[in-house]
Amino acid sequence: MDPARDEQLLSVGKQCSHPSCLLVDFLPFKCQHCAEAFCQEHFLAKDHSCPSYDETKHNRIAPHCPLCNEPVAIPPGQDPNIKMDTHLTQECTVMTGRAKQKSKPVCQSGRCGKVLYSPIRCDKCHKQFCPSHRFPSDHRCSPAPVAQSSRLLNLSAPSINTKALNAKASAASDALKKHIPTSLPKPSPQPPASSSNSKPALFSKTDRRARAERESRKKALQARAKKGLLSEEEKAFLAAEEAAEANKKDDCVVM
């Protein structure tokens, strides 16, 4: 074995810290308790007998009370029997006869009593309800009484004279009407557009297509006329087309 190559391999990966393994692993696992590198077979605390692993701190299970069936949390370092005796004498609902205290609010609709993880507050009675009883008709809503302080504030508020305000508003509108001219110049009537001025669009798509068809047919007849293959009707049509084309050329005036 080449020692230089072994050093290169060791620099890429890490060697398993287990004394009986010492395998070079390119993707080693790091123990969260002792921070040593291990291979896939020895990275668990129980597989390499980790000295920094304390089972009482990490592998904790809360036992249930045999009477009220509630889990009893055991603090680290305390005897579970002592904690269970304390629970039976002070916290157990069966032994003490106390009602179970709910940490979260419940629905206030009659006998519902559902635990509300997202309570919905009614705008009228200001109580919390579940989604099934959130509407006033579902929980027989009775509006909350108005506080006495708000009533006193309403009584002590000065009364507003609406007649005086209306008179001031009408006087202001009359003053604005005096400054604004009543007669405005009328717009001059425009003559209606005559139908004689409107002309159809020249060389529409249909006209261009018909003209192209006639040109192509005339060229085909001229080619057949050179070979002497035209009938009498085709000769008459070709003569009429050539005469019409000659008339159009005569009508054109060069400016």
Side-chain angles (χ1 to χ4, degrees), residues 105-154:
V106 296
C107 180
Q108 299 181 4
S109 175
R111 300 179 181 178
C112 180
K114 291 181 180 178
V115 179
L116 301 178
Y117 296 97
S118 298
I120 302 172
R121 185 179 296 275
C122 180
D123 296 336
K124 295 183 179 179
C125 60
H126 306 291
K127 295 181 180 180
Q128 296 179 350
F129 300 95
C130 64
S132 302
H133 303 102
R134 65 184 184 274
F135 295 112
S137 58
D138 296 332
H139 60 264
R140 297 179 182 179
C141 182
S142 57
V146 182
Q148 188 176 1
S149 59
S150 60
R151 291 181 180 178
L152 293 175
L153 289 174
N154 293 332

Side-chain angles (χ1 to χ4, degrees), residues 42-152:
H42 302 102
F43 74 97
L44 295 177
K46 63 179 181 179
D47 295 333
H48 64 268
S49 302
C50 184
S52 302
Y53 176 71
D54 189 1
E55 188 175 1
T56 59
K57 294 181 180 179
H58 299 281
N59 191 13
R60 296 170 54 200
I61 299 176
H64 286 73
C65 177
L67 300 178
C68 63
N69 199 22
E70 289 292 330
V72 181
I74 308 298
Q78 187 177 2
D79 188 2
N81 297 322
I82 298 175
K83 180 61 180 176
M84 184 62 68
D85 292 340
T86 306
H87 169 75
L88 292 174
T89 55
Q90 299 179 4
E91 301 174 359
C92 182
T93 57
V94 178
M95 294 296 294
T96 59
R98 299 175 184 175
K100 182 181 177 181
Q101 296 180 357
K102 297 182 179 180
S103 58
K104 294 186 178 181
V106 296
C107 180
Q108 299 181 4
S109 175
R111 300 179 181 178
C112 180
K114 291 181 180 178
V115 179
L116 301 178
Y117 296 97
S118 298
I120 302 172
R121 185 179 296 275
C122 180
D123 296 336
K124 295 183 179 179
C125 60
H126 306 291
K127 295 181 180 180
Q128 296 179 350
F129 300 95
C130 64
S132 302
H133 303 102
R134 65 184 184 274
F135 295 112
S137 58
D138 296 332
H139 60 264
R140 297 179 182 179
C141 182
S142 57
V146 182
Q148 188 176 1
S149 59
S150 60
R151 291 181 180 178
L152 293 175

Side-chain angles (χ1 to χ4, degrees), residues 217-232:
R217 184 179 180 186
K218 185 177 70 174
K219 290 179 181 179
L221 291 176
Q222 289 175 354
R224 292 181 63 190
K226 292 179 181 180
K227 297 179 182 181
L229 301 176
L230 293 180
S231 61
E232 296 297 332

Side-chain angles (χ1 to χ4, degrees), residues 192-203:
S194 60
S195 59
S196 60
N197 294 334
S198 59
K199 296 180 179 180
L202 298 177
F203 302 109

Side-chain angles (χ1 to χ4, degrees), residues 164-210:
L165 292 177
N166 294 333
K168 290 181 181 180
S170 60
S173 60
D174 294 339
L176 289 174
K177 289 179 181 179
K178 290 179 181 179
H179 294 284
I180 298 174
T182 55
S183 61
L184 297 175
K186 296 182 179 179
S188 59
Q190 298 180 358
S194 60
S195 59
S196 60
N197 294 334
S198 59
K199 296 180 179 180
L202 298 177
F203 302 109
S204 62
K205 187 176 181 180
T206 307
D207 296 340
R208 290 196 299 269
R209 183 175 180 181

